Amino acid sequence: MIHPTPRLRFAPSPTGSLHIGGARTAMYNWAAARALGGAFLLRIEDTDQARSTEASLQGILDGLRWLGIDWDEGPGRDGGHGPYFQMQRLDLYRAAAERLLASGHAYPCYCTTDRLEALREQQKAAKSSWIGYDGHCRTLAAEQRAEHERRGLRANLRFRMPEAQVVRVHDLIRGEVEVNTRELDDWVMLRPDGVPLYNFACVVDDIGMRITHVVRGEEHFLNGIKQRLLFEALGAECPVYAHIPLILNQQGAKLSKRDPGVMGVLEYRDQGYPPEAVFNYIALLGWGFSGDRDVFTREEMVAAFRIEAVGKAGAKFDPAKLHWMCGEYIRRWPPAECLDRARPWLGTVPAAAFTTHRAWLENSVACFQERIQLLAELAPKLGWLFADPAPDEAARRNLAKDPASRQWLAAWAEALAASDLPPSWPQDRAGVDERVRLPWRKDAPEPACAFATPARIEADCRAFVERLGVKFGSFVHPVRAALTGTDKGPGLFDVVFLLGKDACVRRLRAAAAGV
RNA sequence: GUCCCGGUCGUCUAGUCCGGCCCAGGACCCCAGAUUUUCAUUCUGGUAACACGGGUUCGAAUCCCGUCCGGGAUACCA
């Protein structure tokens, strides 16, 4: 037969947030669809009415969009195979159920929940090797059914599984696997109220939506067997299956939203994880780009992705590598982009600075790009730019280390007061930062600037320190402490350049005076 | 219990299909060193793995069997 256009789907139930596992499943389906030149659709499996919520739905859609996983068909994008919400497809399930009832593939079951529960208890208590529905209503005669109906009992519809039949499936991940239907029971397809259960709705929709490949978590492997039989019963061709291994927590069990350190996709967004880093990291959970590369773009992933290349073993989620990945991306951004991206987390930065001191802000951010892994880490590191900082413990130590340092600070304050340092925030820095891009690297060409550049500040400083007759290092530490209130941060001459004359002089004098 | 799947450095993995190029490569983490005014970045180096036992073979991480360990499934959830 002619190969149909590949069509893959991600089919979440809106009963919670999009977590790492779901995101990866969506991503692999998406990447496979793109790689195969097919379509990626989103179907919402909202048949669990008790747990489905609108908020969850929105969260899942937002999470997917944030990661850059877009869908060709689904909510908000009609592709002619909708509706894409299962609760809007009830008549389709009803019709399929009628057919299966007529063909004998399905039968009504009048067993009560109580009886079913008792049955399970009994099977467990007896340490039965087999647990499941006993087929009580499987062979009900027509008159018995009529009798039950007369008494007002409402039936579930069950699928009649073939007895002891070996079903052979080819799974893209697992290869050939045989399962005996003996292991499976007659499962419920449809509730009395017409709401379908997972396996049934899934198959009816996969047929209706022309799905060709199903990529999902391995917890669905046995469902795949049930579904294959249903496809056959409905006279439809079964899609190709790929059951991918689970993502594991630190203990090696299925990753749960309740595991410590594990968050929903949107929480990563809110904490300033770059989406492409999260995407990149998640892709690596069970799949490798190549033997020697871990960092790649979405496009590169699509070009390289093959479902069969996904591993068989579960992967543990490692927050440390995710953080590294985030830093890796942040460092690569141009400062302007970093500033824009970090804007939502820069609430403590005076709003005016974004318009009047844009370039200065970019320079400031640039000085920290190699020092952060999450965008949320930026704001706390920028405080000293706007207000004279109170020295932290390390800074106090550096200030107190050498009693003579107060004289140096005072002396350098006066030297700087007489120098051509750029103006301090919020004074107008008139094109200074446009001309001098930070962080300054010693091999970079010296830019033309009306004010002292980091390179000149350093040269002057070294000469000054030499005249003073002290070790450069001993001089620099208290200065940094006085200027930034801490012992870490960008190169000191970037700091002085960014801070400008007034602020530097003021802080050095204050520190010299022991304030 | 039963069925299914898995098991290469602490972690993610390459290599496994078509045995030799692997006394096992890359990345994260960790450690040491270099650069440096701190931190960070960068660079260099290091520690560290084929779960175990048999078998097949001239030769096995790669093939076969068993054991152990781990995970998943066994719903009127998805």
Side-chain angles (χ1 to χ4, degrees), chain A residues 341-403:
Chain A
R341 295 241 211 174
R343 182 74 200 261
W345 290 272
L346 296 180
T348 53
V349 170
F354 289 93
T355 50
T356 62
H357 286 63
R358 170 85 201 185
W360 176 65
L361 235 30
E362 285 176 12
N363 269 344
S364 305
V365 166
C367 285
F368 284 97
Q369 275 179 258
E370 60 195 35
R371 294 177 170 82
I372 60 168
Q373 291 185 313
L374 305 180
L375 293 172
E377 293 168 17
L378 207 46
K381 294 187 186 296
L382 261 27
W384 59 278
L385 284 162
F386 302 94
D388 295 354
D392 63 17
E393 199 186 319
R396 281 199 299 273
R397 214 179 308 122
N398 285 341
L399 248 11
K401 190 169 282 175
D402 190 329

Side-chain angles (χ1 to χ4, degrees), chain A residues 70-370:
Chain A
D70 54 335
W71 52 97
D72 305 304
E73 297 177 28
R77 277 184 152 264
D78 186 18
H81 298 273
Y84 298 93
F85 289 82
Q86 291 188 324
M87 286 308 284
Q88 293 171 23
R89 303 172 61 85
L90 262 23
D91 48 334
L92 262 19
Y93 309 128
R94 184 93 257 166
E98 300 293 348
R99 283 178 56 200
L100 292 164
L101 214 39
S103 65
H105 288 289
Y107 64 89
C109 168
Y110 298 91
C111 292
T112 61
T113 309
D114 287 348
R115 187 186 106 75
L116 262 17
E117 272 174 17
L119 178 65
R120 296 181 65 76
E121 289 308 312
Q122 191 186 320
Q123 288 168 336
K124 279 184 181 167
K127 295 205 190 303
S128 165
S129 67
W130 192 87
I131 293 174
Y133 182 60
D134 60 357
H136 184 76
C137 297
R138 190 178 163 104
T139 54
L140 239 39
E143 52 270 27
Q144 289 173 295
R145 286 179 189 161
E147 171 59 22
H148 281 137
E149 295 286 344
R150 239 189 331 273
R151 297 209 342 251
L153 289 183
R154 306 192 61 200
N156 281 309
L157 210 57
R158 281 186 190 269
F159 184 74
R160 190 190 304 275
M161 290 290 280
E163 292 179 65
Q165 177 188 321
V166 173
V167 180
R168 190 183 174 78
V169 294
H170 178 78
D171 189 284
L172 255 23
I173 309 294
R174 297 192 177 196
E176 303 292 331
V177 182
E178 289 183 351
V179 176
N180 196 307
T181 55
R182 212 166 30 206
E183 309 299 332
L184 277 8
D185 62 359
D186 288 348
W187 46 279
V188 176
M189 306 189 318
L190 200 64
R191 294 193 186 92
D193 61 4
V195 177
L197 267 76
Y198 173 68
N199 283 303
F200 182 50
C202 185
V203 169
V204 170
D205 292 344
D206 282 347
I207 293 172
M209 297 178 183
R210 308 280 186 275
I211 298 301
T212 59
H213 304 253
V214 172
V215 181
R216 79 232 300 191
E218 71 176 11
E219 72 267 29
H220 286 299
F221 183 79
L222 235 32
N223 286 328
I225 305 295
K226 295 177 183 176
Q227 292 177 15
R228 162 172 290 275
L229 262 11
L230 182 51
F231 274 104
E232 285 170 9
L234 286 167
E237 196 174 339
C238 188
V240 175
Y241 286 128
H243 288 95
I244 61 180
L246 272 14
I247 296 178
L248 281 14
N249 60 22
Q250 292 309 309
Q251 286 67 242
K254 182 176 174 178
L255 190 73
S256 149
K257 323 97 237 243
R258 287 171 295 283
D259 282 312
V262 173
M263 303 185 287
V265 166
L266 259 21
E267 292 175 274
Y268 287 101
R269 178 195 64 185
D270 295 343
Q271 291 186 18
Y273 288 69
E276 49 278 76
V278 175
F279 180 101
N280 194 155
Y281 177 71
I282 291 178
L284 252 14
L285 258 19
W287 177 78
F289 179 80
S290 73
D292 57 5
R293 234 183 106 188
D294 289 355
V295 183
F296 46 84
T297 64
R298 290 188 187 88
E299 293 69 32
E300 288 173 320
M301 180 202 180
V302 166
F305 190 75
R306 286 188 315 118
I307 302 172
E308 307 90 292
V310 174
K312 293 188 188 67
K316 281 187 187 167
F317 181 81
D318 179 15
K321 188 155 185 176
L322 206 208
H323 279 96
W324 164 79
M325 186 74 79
C326 290
E328 197 70 12
Y329 276 87
I330 288 178
R331 255 173 267 134
R332 295 175 188 206
W333 292 337
E337 178 176 0
C338 190
L339 177 62
D340 288 337
R341 295 241 211 174
R343 182 74 200 261
W345 290 272
L346 296 180
T348 53
V349 170
F354 289 93
T355 50
T356 62
H357 286 63
R358 170 85 201 185
W360 176 65
L361 235 30
E362 285 176 12
N363 269 344
S364 305
V365 166
C367 285
F368 284 97
Q369 275 179 258
E370 60 195 35

Side-chain angles (χ1 to χ4, degrees), chain A residues 21-86:
Chain A
R24 188 192 58 163
T25 301
M27 175 191 299
Y28 284 179
N29 273 289
W30 173 89
R34 296 281 176 269
L36 263 21
F40 174 63
L41 23 179
L42 194 57
R43 178 173 76 221
I44 306 303
E45 308 211 329
D46 54 356
T47 56
D48 186 342
Q49 296 170 86
R51 297 193 299 144
S52 293
T53 66
E54 178 64 24
S56 293
L57 201 222
Q58 287 311 322
I60 290 167
L61 299 185
D62 286 349
L64 291 173
R65 289 192 197 101
W66 181 67
L67 286 170
I69 297 173
D70 54 335
W71 52 97
D72 305 304
E73 297 177 28
R77 277 184 152 264
D78 186 18
H81 298 273
Y84 298 93
F85 289 82
Q86 291 188 324

Side-chain angles (χ1 to χ4, degrees), chain A residues 335-336 358-364 366-367 432-441 444 447 454 494 497:
Chain A
R358 170 85 201 185
W360 176 65
L361 235 30
E362 285 176 12
N363 269 344
S364 305
C367 285
V432 174
D433 299 290
E434 282 80 358
R435 248 167 250 134
V436 183
R437 305 312 318 208
L438 301 187
W440 169 59
R441 310 281 181 199
D494 282 345
F497 179 83

